[in-house]
Structure formats: structure tokens, C-alpha cells
Amino acid sequence: MFDDVAANYDLTNDVLSLGQARQWRREVARAVDARPAQKILDLAAGTATSSQPFARAGAYVVPCDFSIGMLRVGKARHPWMPFTAGDGTRLPFKDETFDAVTISFGLRNIQDTGAALAELYRVTKPGGRVVICEFSQPTWAPFRTVYTEYLMRALPPVARAVSSNPDAYVYLAESIRAWPDQAGLATLLQKAGWSDVAWRNLTGGVVALHRGVRV
């Protein structure tokens, strides 16, 4: 499914998020706080648009994704980056490899969330950090109602206009509605072993930025 939307993926995300996707990426970059010579895993990196801020900071960033189509598009755009194919529940990396691990809008697409969080924990060095940016639940009830209406009614026709595979975005809307809220995801992080778990709402809770530390 994601192979089919790879070519226009970044443009479609910008349109469907009403331009907010770029701000969300900036907030992720601040939270990860990549430093020179650090090793960063960007899981579900797609075409590696999300990886660029870490590389510009001087970190060694590995864009990893399950979709070969996404990786091919990304490699054509950024041929110098070490794109890696990988399943989020069985990552192809040794224990305690990365100083930081991050995933943006991809955790929701991994069938076993707990296994993915445990794998991220496994490949993170002691003292390392996780940053997860994912759709969540708006905190203000009237806005939550409007947002739900947008997901189910407005998003599919907009996707048909700009995406090569609009059915993928129908799935997107349904998966967002079924996803745990902020506290629910925090609980899953804690169960996977992460400490100091906290979150911050972006765009009124449309997106939440979760953080944790491996101690």
C-alpha cells in the first residue's frame, strides 16, 4: 500500500495536514536533539524527509522502513544516506546501537505496537531516548468532533485529488480513530521498559509527541 503512494507521499501529507506536517517535523527534531557523531534511528522514515534535520545536525542517521517503494524514492533523492529495509518488530540492528530512536506517523501502522516499542528499546543505548510523533486525540471536545468529521468526510476526497492511491488515506483515517489516546500510548511505552515517559500535545492534540529514556 505504501509503495503505491511513495512518489507523492510528502506532498500529500502537506496538503492533508493543512501545512502542519512541516511544523510537526520541526518539533520532532527539537525533541530528538541530535548531536554530531550520535547514531539516530529514524524508523518508518519513508523517503527520509524526516531524517534530514538529524543529518544536518551532524548525526549519523539511519532511515529504516518496511516499504521498499518508499526507500527507492528516498534513495533517489538522498543517495548518500544509509537507507535500510526493516520490520519494526524485528529490527536488523544489534542491541544498544543508537543514541536516539524516533518514529513519526509510523507506529500506528505496525501491527504489534508493544513489540515495536520493545524493539526500539532493545536497539537503544542505556541513557538513550525515544521520540514518537503520532496522531492522537484532540483535547477540546468541540474541536475533536470537527476533526473526526474531517477525517471521515473531507480527507478521502482530498486524498483522491492529490494521491496516487487514495484508498491508503481512507485506511489512514480509520487507523487514527482506532489509535490509543495520549495516556494509552504512554502506558504502552512504560510496559515496553521506557522510563521518564511524557508527552506534549501539538495542534490541540491532533498529534502528540511522546518521549522516553532507556535507563
Side-chain angles (χ1 to χ4, degrees), residues 80-159:
W80 52 275
M81 298 196 77
F83 285 88
T84 303
D87 181 344
T89 62
R90 295 189 301 274
L91 292 172
F93 308 109
K94 294 181 180 179
D95 295 355
E96 301 179 4
T97 297
F98 298 98
D99 297 285
V101 295
T102 183
I103 180 169
S104 295
F105 308 109
L107 186 60
R108 194 185 66 261
N109 300 321
I110 299 175
Q111 189 170 13
D112 190 335
T113 305
L117 294 175
E119 272 293 272
L120 287 172
Y121 185 89
R122 179 185 66 79
V123 301
T124 302
K125 296 177 182 178
R129 58 210 182 274
V130 64
V131 175
I132 297 171
C133 186
E134 189 53 90
F135 290 108
S136 197
Q137 298 296 323
T139 55
W140 188 44
F143 177 51
R144 188 161 58 243
T145 300
V146 172
Y147 173 65
T148 301
E149 289 294 308
Y150 168 73
L151 282 178
M152 302 313 297
R153 296 189 182 187
L155 189 149
V158 172

Side-chain angles (χ1 to χ4, degrees), residues 6-172:
N8 295 324
Y9 184 71
D10 296 316
L11 171 63
T12 304
N13 286 345
D14 282 340
V15 171
L16 295 179
S17 69
L18 306 179
Q20 290 295 299
R22 297 185 184 189
Q23 179 60 33
W24 297 335
R25 284 196 292 271
R26 285 192 287 269
E27 294 298 332
V28 171
R30 291 191 187 101
V32 171
D33 191 24
R35 304 294 176 87
Q38 286 187 336
K39 293 182 178 179
I40 310 292
L41 172 62
D42 188 10
L43 184 58
T47 59
T49 298
S50 59
S51 306
Q52 300 314 303
F54 314 134
R56 287 195 293 269
Y60 177 79
V61 54
V62 178
C64 181
D65 203 285
F66 188 75
S67 168
I68 300 300
M70 286 283 191
L71 295 174
R72 284 173 177 162
V73 171
K75 192 67 175 178
R77 295 176 182 175
H78 313 288
W80 52 275
M81 298 196 77
F83 285 88
T84 303
D87 181 344
T89 62
R90 295 189 301 274
L91 292 172
F93 308 109
K94 294 181 180 179
D95 295 355
E96 301 179 4
T97 297
F98 298 98
D99 297 285
V101 295
T102 183
I103 180 169
S104 295
F105 308 109
L107 186 60
R108 194 185 66 261
N109 300 321
I110 299 175
Q111 189 170 13
D112 190 335
T113 305
L117 294 175
E119 272 293 272
L120 287 172
Y121 185 89
R122 179 185 66 79
V123 301
T124 302
K125 296 177 182 178
R129 58 210 182 274
V130 64
V131 175
I132 297 171
C133 186
E134 189 53 90
F135 290 108
S136 197
Q137 298 296 323
T139 55
W140 188 44
F143 177 51
R144 188 161 58 243
T145 300
V146 172
Y147 173 65
T148 301
E149 289 294 308
Y150 168 73
L151 282 178
M152 302 313 297
R153 296 189 182 187
L155 189 149
V158 172
R160 279 193 289 272
V162 298
S163 173
S164 56
N165 184 1
D167 289 342
Y169 290 90
V170 174
Y171 157 78
L172 170 68

